[in-house]
Amino acid sequence: MTDLSRLSLNTATTKSWTLEQAVDGAVRAGLPAVGLWRDRVAEAGLERSARLVADAGLRVSSLCRGGFLTAADDEGRRAAVEDNRAAVVEAATLGTRELIMVVGGLPAASAPGGPALPDGDRDVVAARRRVADRIGELVPFAAEHDVRLVLEPLHPIFAADRAVLSTLGQCLDLAADFPAESVGVVVDTYHVWWDPELRTQIARAGAEGRLASYQVCDWMLPLSADPLLSRGYMGDGYIDFPTITRWVSEAGYTGDVEVEIFRQEIWDAPGDEVVATIADRYVRHVLPSLTAPVRSA
Amino acid sequence: MTDLSRLSLNTATTKSWTLEQAVDGAVRAGLPAVGLWRDRVAEAGLERSARLVADAGLRVSSLCRGGFLTAADDEGRRAAVEDNRAAVVEAATLGTRELIMVVGGLPAASAPGGPALPDGDRDVVAARRRVADRIGELVPFAAEHDVRLVLEPLHPIFAADRAVLSTLGQCLDLAADFPAESVGVVVDTYHVWWDPELRTQIARAGAEGRLASYQVCDWMLPLSADPLLSRGYMGDGYIDFPTITRWVSEAGYTGDVEVEIFRQEIWDAPGDEVVATIADRYVRHVLPSLTAPVRSA
């Protein structure tokens, strides 16, 4: 099987490439889609990026990322809403409905080396409430632009400094107050593979029409000094891709499969080599379980 | 408030101390209890350890640890059951009912630098089933010795190599098949602070009579190269001790509070200084929320 018709290259995987190079590389490898990061889009220019991708005949599977919504002060709150509105406009301009949201950690944790946390800043329950409030403020704007806010549960290793949403179930609970067209969820294997509720919550996400994106990469040990960079090629680590991919398929997901790997050795390797490896691993570990769901007649 | 009547020194916190030194240190600092690790007990001898602790008038709040139950082969299974029976006998001899169980990770992950994982070894669902089976085999033996198997959910960062039980809810689901006197759970703040279900599941553990131990230490960033050692003194990191301690108290927990910190700087510091700091942080961050539960009349 060499069917790459659902494989998407997330541009974070080929970090040394500009957006234009990533688009060209995806086309050379026969991939039909790219997942874009806002920094690469900003570099290339928004309108130009949209043109480059469209002219290449590629889909944009998602835009990474909005979020960082946990600020407790008015200024931080306003800045977050403003930045996320900009991200919504960028997603719409680039032609993707799916804006991935990394919601942010405990407020003071975002300033490394900063002063010790005031007591209230350790209140993770309150931080989650602020995320829900900010999502509520953003939903009407996103809906106007036909863009979906896609909540990303991050591995609990990032709960203090990056995302106070740690499980798919928690994201779906938050999403429940909003239409499925406006708030979705993403399954990124690196973040959720360990979750004992994973099968149930993937099925629930599908049933609720909120399964907006499937991102794959492996969990590697030993952890990198920066655990953000501890991802690896599918098959190199501990994640059971056939099983999780089957659950995602059974939930009715028929969209693109994005490969998003942050890892220094992979960033240091030639981009075309990386894309070839991604395609090979996708075909071996993911594609065989990526069946269209069986629908009852 | 300087009431240390529920503070227990886990011997892993003062790693350079022998069991005898730890017992003496706890007594000097006015602590009424110690949590013991099997390696220190083995060094000192089991009967002698029991005598040392009893003669000092200390309680043993728990024995760490049994577990590592995920082996898929017959030999590994037999060895695990045998080792855990020995741990049960040790707990009974030392005079504690609570044997902390770290259940083990994916089978091949326990051999660092070993060969790549066979495909079946990535099946975390099957590994969890094996844990449940082994617990079932051990329960009658533990009950005979009046020892409780205390399931420890470990932070998902350790799901691949150390414990396929990652949440308190998951441990309680597993425990549900067994009497509360034989299978309990431990709340270790380092492992569970991020869990969106934490309040609910602590209350459930209390209601079910399974809340067997409360261990405290903080979540520090940046992570240590070995994330096992990324713990810190309460108040130095990101965990909201007043809130979690209140939940534990409201669940009816009236037992000891064990301080268990693995951290190189703390291991390198003089033991008496470490114990003094523990007592100070306990009094400031934990004790004020450690009220006896309000019982309905």
Side-chain angles (χ1 to χ4, degrees):
Chain A
M1 289 200 289
T2 53
D3 172 9
L4 304 182
S5 65
R6 292 175 65 184
L7 179 56
S8 175
L9 171 66
N10 184 295
T11 58
T13 308
T14 47
K15 198 188 178 187
S16 66
W17 273 353
T18 63
L19 185 132
E20 186 163 11
Q21 289 174 313
V23 163
D24 289 348
V27 168
R28 271 196 305 279
L31 272 54
V34 283
L36 301 180
W37 273 70
R38 292 177 69 198
D39 55 350
R40 283 284 169 276
V41 171
E43 259 174 31
L46 177 59
E47 301 292 340
R48 182 162 167 267
S49 297
R51 237 183 3 256
L52 279 169
V53 175
D55 289 351
L58 297 177
R59 291 187 293 274
V60 178
S61 47
S62 76
L63 178 64
C64 296
R65 63 184 190 215
F68 293 89
L69 303 170
T70 53
D73 60 306
D74 281 351
E75 190 190 326
R77 185 183 65 72
R78 269 195 302 269
V81 169
E82 191 174 326
D83 181 58
N84 278 280
R85 286 175 172 237
V88 165
V89 170
E90 289 163 32
T93 307
L94 293 163
T96 179
R97 293 202 66 236
E98 316 298 356
L99 174 62
I100 307 290
M101 303 288 284
V102 172
V103 300
L106 294 171
S110 35
L117 282 178
D119 263 3
D121 285 0
R122 291 194 181 83
D123 187 342
V124 67
V125 177
R128 291 179 191 135
R129 268 196 304 268
R130 291 195 297 275
V131 169
D133 290 346
R134 292 302 85 72
I135 293 290
E137 283 174 52
L138 287 165
V139 158
F141 186 83
E144 276 170 38
H145 291 78
D146 199 25
V147 165
R148 173 148 68 174
L149 307 173
V150 180
L151 302 176
E152 178 155 23
L154 256 58
H155 193 286
I157 196 177
F158 303 115
D161 60 346
R162 206 164 288 265
V164 292
L165 295 181
S166 307
T167 68
L168 201 55
Q170 186 186 13
C171 290
L172 288 167
D173 287 347
L174 194 163
D177 285 340
F178 309 103
E181 301 77 51
S182 295
V183 181
V185 295
V186 47
V187 172
D188 179 324
T189 54
Y190 183 78
H191 292 306
V192 300
W193 71 272
W194 58 271
D195 183 356
E197 297 291 320
L198 188 57
R199 180 180 197 163
T200 310
Q201 299 299 338
I202 288 176
R204 175 184 169 200
E208 295 181 356
R210 297 188 194 272
L211 196 40
S213 173
Y214 181 39
Q215 298 181 330
V216 294
C217 73
D218 217 330
W219 174 266
M220 306 284 285
L221 290 181
L223 282 178
S224 303
D226 177 352
L228 264 187
L229 308 189
S230 205
R231 298 168 171 235
Y233 289 123
M234 298 83 79
D236 283 352
Y238 292 90
I239 294 179
D240 181 352
F241 289 99
T243 300
I244 298 178
T245 301
R246 182 163 49 79
W247 294 344
V248 167
S249 289
E250 287 170 356
Y253 183 74
T254 56
D256 291 316
V257 179
E258 250 182 50
V259 178
E260 182 186 43
I261 310 178
F262 313 141
R263 186 172 197 82
Q264 197 60 52
E265 299 97 288
I266 294 178
W267 288 342
D268 293 342
D272 283 317
E273 217 177 278
V274 171
V275 176
T277 305
I278 282 172
D280 171 61
R281 299 304 183 88
Y282 168 80
V283 166
R284 285 161 59 190
H285 300 288
V286 179
L287 182 60
S289 309
L290 202 66
T291 51
V294 178
R295 306 257 184 215
S296 49
Chain B
M1 288 199 288
T2 53
D3 172 9
L4 304 182
S5 65
R6 293 175 65 184
L7 178 56
S8 176
L9 171 66
N10 184 295
T11 58
T13 309
T14 48
K15 198 188 178 187
S16 65
W17 273 353
T18 63
L19 185 131
E20 186 164 11
Q21 290 173 312
V23 164
D24 289 347
V27 169
R28 270 197 304 280
L31 272 56
V34 285
L36 301 180
W37 273 70
R38 292 177 69 198
D39 54 351
R40 282 285 168 275
V41 170
E43 259 174 31
L46 177 58
E47 301 292 342
R48 182 163 167 266
S49 297
R51 235 182 5 255
L52 280 169
V53 175
D55 289 351
L58 296 178
R59 291 188 294 273
V60 178
S61 47
S62 77
L63 178 64
C64 296
R65 63 186 188 212
F68 293 90
L69 303 170
T70 52
D73 61 305
D74 281 351
E75 191 191 326
R77 185 184 65 74
R78 268 195 303 268
V81 169
E82 191 174 326
D83 182 58
N84 279 279
R85 286 175 171 238
V88 165
V89 171
E90 289 163 33
T93 306
L94 293 163
T96 180
R97 294 202 64 235
E98 317 298 355
L99 175 61
I100 308 290
M101 303 288 284
V102 172
V103 300
L106 295 171
S110 36
L117 284 177
D119 263 2
D121 285 0
R122 291 194 180 84
D123 187 343
V124 67
V125 177
R128 290 178 192 136
R129 269 196 303 267
R130 292 195 297 275
V131 169
D133 290 346
R134 292 303 84 72
I135 293 290
E137 283 174 51
L138 287 165
V139 158
F141 186 83
E144 275 170 38
H145 291 78
D146 199 25
V147 165
R148 173 148 68 174
L149 307 172
V150 180
L151 303 175
E152 178 155 23
L154 256 58
H155 193 287
I157 195 177
F158 303 114
D161 60 347
R162 206 163 288 264
V164 294
L165 296 181
S166 307
T167 68
L168 200 56
Q170 185 187 13
C171 291
L172 288 167
D173 287 349
L174 194 163
D177 285 340
F178 308 102
E181 301 77 51
S182 295
V183 182
V185 296
V186 47
V187 172
D188 179 324
T189 53
Y190 183 78
H191 292 305
V192 299
W193 72 273
W194 58 271
D195 182 355
E197 297 291 321
L198 188 57
R199 180 181 198 163
T200 310
Q201 298 299 338
I202 287 175
R204 176 184 168 200
E208 295 181 356
R210 297 188 195 271
L211 195 41
S213 173
Y214 180 40
Q215 298 180 330
V216 293
C217 74
D218 217 331
W219 174 265
M220 306 284 285
L221 290 181
L223 282 178
S224 303
D226 177 351
L228 264 188
L229 308 189
S230 206
R231 298 169 171 234
Y233 289 124
M234 298 83 80
D236 282 353
Y238 292 89
I239 295 180
D240 182 351
F241 288 98
T243 300
I244 297 178
T245 301
R246 184 164 47 78
W247 294 345
V248 167
S249 289
E250 287 171 355
Y253 183 74
T254 56
D256 291 316
V257 180
E258 250 182 52
V259 179
E260 184 186 43
I261 311 178
F262 313 142
R263 186 172 198 81
Q264 197 59 53
E265 298 98 289
I266 293 178
W267 289 342
D268 293 342
D272 283 317
E273 217 177 280
V274 170
V275 176
T277 305
I278 283 172
D280 171 61
R281 300 304 182 87
Y282 168 80
V283 166
R284 286 161 59 189
H285 299 288
V286 179
L287 181 59
S289 309
L290 202 66
T291 52
V294 178
R295 305 258 185 217
S296 50

